[in-house]
């Protein structure tokens, strides 16, 4: 959640590079463009299926099999024909988007590359239309290890009701930084850098002001201090 791996705009084909505290992350689009934050729903869904299985004491593997209908229903999407057709595009963008990053291990610097998913398969199709019935997704080992060791954060189910990409991204950041503390204060410029927004900083400030005014983020309330140019996120009563 620290780096904006997922594009906020559909059709984004830029090579995006983010650097913070010496860690450099480069996101490279595939032929279908970069995976978007709405494509991330499928990623989150696969992770949730593994976490649920692990919590129930069942063995897990990097391969996640699920029905298209359950994915669409769980992520607050239409279960009509268009919903099924969009799944294929999501899978293609997740498979095609590449991530490169530098890490340090035992004093040695390494540069690594990986994808958001390793592969995908449409297991069945209805003989009478193009609806996808069942899907298998192979998650990359780095992501599977994070799930196996429970180094993942849960998200509110209301996250999927957020339609604007920036709302989703800001909620993710609040969840990460305010998850284990009652509040998180951050400057607007740092929030802008973490968000991955392609808007100007001036436009981003306007969007943050609007979002703090309607306060529709699940679990968290935003407070914008215009004079000092920072935002504070507070955990709502009854939230995480």
């Amino acid at each position: 959640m620290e780096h904006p791996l997922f594009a906020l705009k559909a059709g984004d084909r830029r090579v995006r590079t983010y650097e913070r505290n010496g860690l450099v992350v480069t996101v490279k689009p595939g032929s279908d463009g970069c995976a978007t934050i709405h494509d991330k729903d499928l990623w989150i869904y696969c992770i949730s299926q593994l976490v649920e299985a692990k919590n129930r004491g069942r063995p897990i593997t990097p391969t996640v099999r699920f029905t298209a209908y359950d994915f669409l229903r769980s992520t607050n999407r239409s279960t009509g024909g268009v919903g099924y057709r969009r799944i294929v595009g999501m899978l293609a963008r997740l498979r095609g988007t590449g991530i490169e990053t530098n890490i340090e291990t035992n004093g040695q610097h390494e540069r690594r590359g990986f994808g958001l998913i390793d592969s995908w398969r449409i297991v069945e199709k209805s003989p009478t239309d193009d609806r996808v019935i069942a899907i298998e997704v192979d998650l990359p080992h780095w992501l599977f290890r994070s799930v196996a060791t429970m180094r993942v954060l849960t998200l509110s189910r209301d996250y999927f009701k957020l339609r604007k990409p920036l709302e989703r991204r800001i909620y993710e950041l609040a969840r990460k930084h305010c998850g284990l503390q009652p509040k998180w204060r951050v400057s607007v410029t740092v929030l802008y850098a973490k968000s991955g927004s392609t808007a100007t900083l001036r436009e981003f400030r306007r969007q943050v002001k609007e979002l703090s005014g309607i306060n529709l983020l699940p679990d968290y309330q935003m407070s914008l201090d215009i004079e000092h140019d920072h935002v504070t996120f507070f955990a709502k009563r009854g939230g995480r």
Side-chain angles (χ1 to χ4, degrees):
M1 290 186 184
E2 178 67 18
H3 296 278
L5 304 183
F6 295 84
L8 297 186
K9 292 179 63 177
D12 193 336
R13 295 180 179 273
R14 297 172 303 140
V15 175
R16 295 175 286 125
T17 299
Y18 304 97
E19 182 174 2
R20 187 164 182 82
N21 299 326
L23 179 67
V24 180
V25 176
T26 300
V27 184
K28 295 184 175 181
S31 59
D32 297 288
C34 275
T36 70
I37 201 161
H38 287 290
D39 297 333
K40 189 178 182 179
D41 287 1
L42 199 147
W43 212 57
I44 295 171
Y45 177 83
C46 289
I47 293 171
S48 70
Q49 296 304 294
L50 292 180
V51 170
E52 181 179 357
K54 187 173 176 63
N55 288 338
R56 293 176 180 271
R58 298 198 299 264
I60 60 174
T61 71
T63 300
V64 182
R65 178 169 176 153
F66 55 94
T67 66
Y69 175 81
D70 188 64
F71 161 70
L72 294 171
R73 183 182 54 81
S74 298
T75 56
N76 197 42
R77 291 169 175 266
S78 168
T79 55
V82 66
Y84 288 86
R85 290 191 293 273
R86 285 175 177 170
I87 290 176
V88 179
M90 297 171 69
L91 290 165
R93 288 186 292 272
L94 288 167
R95 175 65 181 84
T97 302
I99 311 296
E100 293 182 4
T101 186
N102 66 315
I103 62 171
E104 181 177 335
T105 305
N106 296 327
Q108 290 186 330
H109 290 276
E110 298 180 3
R111 188 170 183 86
R112 293 186 180 179
F114 47 85
L116 295 172
I117 62 175
D118 279 353
S119 62
W120 57 271
R121 290 176 295 281
I122 296 175
V123 181
E124 297 174 350
K125 271 193 173 184
S126 168
T128 57
D129 56 40
D130 291 333
R131 290 192 179 189
V132 177
I133 305 301
I135 300 167
E136 282 187 2
V137 174
D138 293 322
L139 298 179
H141 290 291
W142 64 271
L143 179 59
F144 178 73
R145 286 195 300 269
S146 295
V147 177
T149 55
M150 297 301 284
R151 294 176 59 193
V152 293
L153 289 174
T154 58
L155 301 178
S156 168
R157 292 186 66 87
D158 289 335
Y159 168 86
F160 298 111
K161 296 179 181 178
L162 299 174
R163 302 318 304 165
K164 293 183 179 179
L166 185 61
E167 294 171 352
R168 289 183 167 216
R169 180 58 184 156
I170 288 182
Y171 168 79
E172 290 178 354
L173 291 168
R175 178 72 185 98
K176 179 184 186 299
H177 292 281
C178 196
L180 298 177
Q181 55 186 345
K183 65 180 181 179
W184 174 48
R185 178 177 173 180
V186 61
S187 70
V188 172
T189 53
V190 170
L191 186 65
Y192 176 64
K194 286 177 177 286
S195 73
S197 172
T198 58
T200 64
L201 180 57
R202 179 178 180 178
E203 173 63 13
F204 180 78
R205 283 195 178 95
R206 186 197 66 77
Q207 293 170 335
V208 168
K209 181 179 180 180
E210 179 182 333
L211 186 56
S212 66
I214 58 179
N215 259 313
L216 52 68
L217 295 183
D219 301 335
Y220 303 103
Q221 182 160 341
M222 293 175 62
S223 176
L224 173 64
D225 186 331
I226 297 177
E227 180 180 355
H228 297 95
D229 202 34
H230 68 242
V231 181
T232 304
F233 295 88
F234 300 90
K236 293 179 182 177
R237 180 176 296 182
R240 291 183 174 86

